[in-house]
Amino acid sequence: QVQLVEFGGGSVQAGGSLRLSCVVSGYSDSRYCMGWFRQAPGKEREGVATLDSDGTTSYKDSVEGRFTISRDNAKNSLDLQMNSLKPEDTAMYYCAVDFTFVSRLRCRYIPLDLGYWGQGTQVTVSS
């Protein structure tokens, strides 16, 4: 059974940095689409960044250049380094993964319908 557990959320002042990690377990397929998503109170969930098994990364426009998604194979984790944080980055952050051909094909468009999700970690940025 695929399981995802996020770590690293917290509170930080604007301009600061946080690093989120998501440990993924219970799978054996080497081909995947993995991503980070977020949902702020009263708003819909949105895609932040994705990484596929070919190494292709995609980012939401508003985080491009500030956030970096990466994979740590030794730790079996998906990480999100967030720099120059802004109050509008405040949200619950979720990691997700899928292994289907369709999800991998659509990964660069940061799809919201990946099959497996973590419980989320809160990020709060104060001004």
Side-chain angles (χ1 to χ4, degrees):
Q1 183 177 354
V2 179
Q3 292 186 322
L4 300 91
V5 180
E6 299 99 336
F7 300 93
S11 297
V12 65
Q13 289 191 328
S17 298
L18 282 174
R19 187 176 184 88
L20 306 183
S21 290
C22 173
V23 176
V24 188
S25 62
Y27 75 100
S28 58
D29 200 325
S30 61
R31 298 168 298 177
Y32 54 78
C33 172
M34 292 185 174
W36 284 95
F37 303 80
R38 66 188 184 188
Q39 187 167 17
K43 296 187 177 181
E44 294 186 352
R45 186 171 297 187
E46 61 181 11
V48 176
T50 52
L51 168 68
D52 70 18
S53 44
D54 293 332
T56 300
T57 58
S58 298
Y59 295 92
K60 176 181 172 62
D61 286 348
S62 63
V63 308
E64 182 91 50
R66 299 188 297 124
F67 291 10
T68 302
I69 189 171
S70 62
R71 181 100 166 93
D72 187 329
N73 290 322
K75 298 180 180 178
N76 217 20
S77 69
L78 179 72
D79 299 333
L80 185 69
Q81 177 65 41
M82 304 185 294
N83 299 327
S84 302
L85 282 160
K86 304 176 180 180
E88 51 265 42
D89 294 319
T90 295
M92 184 71 77
Y93 282 71
Y94 301 88
C95 64
V97 64
D98 210 324
F99 307 98
T100 66
F101 173 75
V102 172
S103 69
R104 288 185 281 115
L105 196 63
R106 297 170 55 231
C107 199
R108 68 186 64 189
Y109 305 112
I110 316 183
L112 296 176
D113 57 351
L114 298 185
Y116 303 95
W117 291 78
Q119 294 299 306
T121 185
Q122 178 68 37
V123 171
T124 303
V125 184
S126 58
S127 57

